[in-house]
Amino acid sequence: MDDIAMRAPLAVDGLSYAYGRKRALDHVSFSLAPARVTALLGPNGAGKTTLFSLVTGLFDSRTGRIRIAGHDLRRERSRALSDLGIVFQAQTLDLDLTVERNLRYFAALRGLSEREARKRIAALLEQVGLTEQRRHKVRSLSGGQRRRVEVARALLDRPGLLLLDEPSTGLDIATRRWLVDEVHRLAHEDGIAVLWATHLVDEVRAHDDLIVLEKGKVVARGEVERVVHDTRANDLNEAFTRLTSARAEEHL
């Protein structure tokens, strides 16, 4: 791993993982740049969620290395995870607490002072358009509103790296559009490195960075326009189909 990769918001080197005899990831390597959205594109079962489970420390692998903001996840777990914000595919809010209480609880876990937490929560709720719902129980919110709370929670302690695992699942069109726009704004204006796992090509913009994962292997990597060009495709949808179909045919 070179010096640039070691200082990257996220650097993954030679990472493998298996469930018994089934290999979910096979020597995956990449690094992210700050202030960029990187789409982790792959069909269901490609290994995206396994990769996220390893990067967030939920799983561990002795094969390969993960560094977050220069800190080795295995050796400096607390320091590495302190720079990480995440929005999981599955909902993880306490439904019986209010929006504000959910955020206050998380802020305490992350070590924010009461004064700083109050300031950040107010700013983030305004940012995601939920100031008026701050005292509502999460159970009363729509699915889109709950996702907005989770985005606010992920940003509470100003992470340098934001992970989103299929975050638009089940969202209405308007909230999905808001999420895509907001995440790109966060990257470009706040300098956050974003890794967005999805299987939906319409969530990816032309100037995003791209990692295509298929059957646990990285089959393409680079700026979206470059990947499309290199696969001699007309658009990302066609490029994605060619890349994943080619891998599928290799396993027939």
Side-chain angles (χ1 to χ4, degrees):
M1 190 177 294
D2 59 32
D3 290 342
I4 294 177
M6 288 181 67
R7 295 193 301 269
L10 173 64
V12 174
D13 185 37
L15 190 63
S16 295
Y17 192 83
Y19 299 97
R21 294 183 178 181
K22 181 180 179 181
R23 179 162 288 194
L25 293 176
D26 190 2
H27 291 90
V28 170
S29 298
F30 63 87
S31 62
L32 304 187
R36 298 282 297 173
V37 173
T38 299
L40 178 64
L41 193 61
N44 291 329
K48 302 187 301 295
T49 297
T50 299
L51 176 61
F52 270 46
S53 296
L54 289 163
V55 172
T56 57
L58 295 177
F59 294 173
D60 185 32
S61 173
R62 294 295 171 181
T63 304
R65 173 180 289 186
I66 299 170
R67 298 181 72 93
I68 301 174
H71 301 295
D72 187 286
L73 181 58
R74 189 174 296 117
R75 298 177 181 176
E76 305 172 90
R77 181 184 176 89
S78 294
R79 293 188 69 181
L81 295 179
S82 68
D83 203 51
L84 173 65
I86 182 163
V87 177
F88 289 102
Q89 180 178 357
Q91 190 179 114
T92 56
L93 297 169
D94 189 319
L95 299 180
D96 293 317
L97 294 181
T98 65
V99 169
E100 192 169 33
R101 287 290 183 185
N102 264 279
L103 297 179
R104 281 182 173 273
Y105 177 71
F106 186 76
L109 289 177
R110 298 295 271 186
L112 273 67
S113 68
E114 186 175 343
R115 179 180 179 183
E116 178 67 10
R118 192 162 50 243
K119 179 180 177 182
R120 287 290 293 160
I121 289 170
L124 286 166
L125 287 179
E126 181 176 0
Q127 183 176 315
V128 301
L130 289 177
T131 298
E132 294 184 1
Q133 288 79 21
R134 67 188 184 280
R135 293 193 176 92
H136 293 188
K137 287 188 176 182
V138 169
R139 188 179 298 279
S140 71
L141 303 182
S142 68
Q145 289 173 324
R146 294 179 189 182
R147 186 61 87 200
R148 289 175 186 243
V149 176
E150 290 178 317
V151 171
R153 183 182 60 182
L155 299 172
L156 265 175
D157 53 348
R158 296 183 173 87
L161 171 64
L162 178 63
L163 305 184
L164 300 108
D165 185 11
E166 305 274 3
S168 64
T169 300
L171 297 184
D172 60 86
I173 294 173
T175 304
R176 189 164 165 249
R177 185 180 301 116
W178 170 85
L179 183 62
V180 173
D181 290 344
E182 180 64 12
V183 167
H184 281 83
R185 187 197 67 76
L186 287 166
H188 300 151
E189 295 183 12
D190 296 350
I192 298 174
V194 176
L195 183 61
W196 179 306
T198 183
H199 63 278
L200 303 173
V201 297
D202 64 342
E203 294 180 347
V204 185
R205 293 184 173 173
H207 296 288
D208 288 344
D209 290 330
L210 178 67
I211 300 167
V212 180
L213 195 64
E214 168 67 348
K215 297 187 183 299
K217 288 181 175 290
V218 174
V219 295
R221 184 174 62 185
E223 193 169 299
V224 170
E225 292 179 332
R226 171 55 59 184
V227 172
V228 171
H229 177 270
D230 289 348
T231 55
R232 300 180 180 179
N234 293 314
D235 53 30
L236 179 57
N237 188 58
E238 183 180 343
F240 179 55
T241 300
R242 289 185 179 183
L243 288 164
T244 54
S245 296
R247 289 293 304 168
E249 289 172 1
E250 290 178 10
H251 287 77
L252 292 179

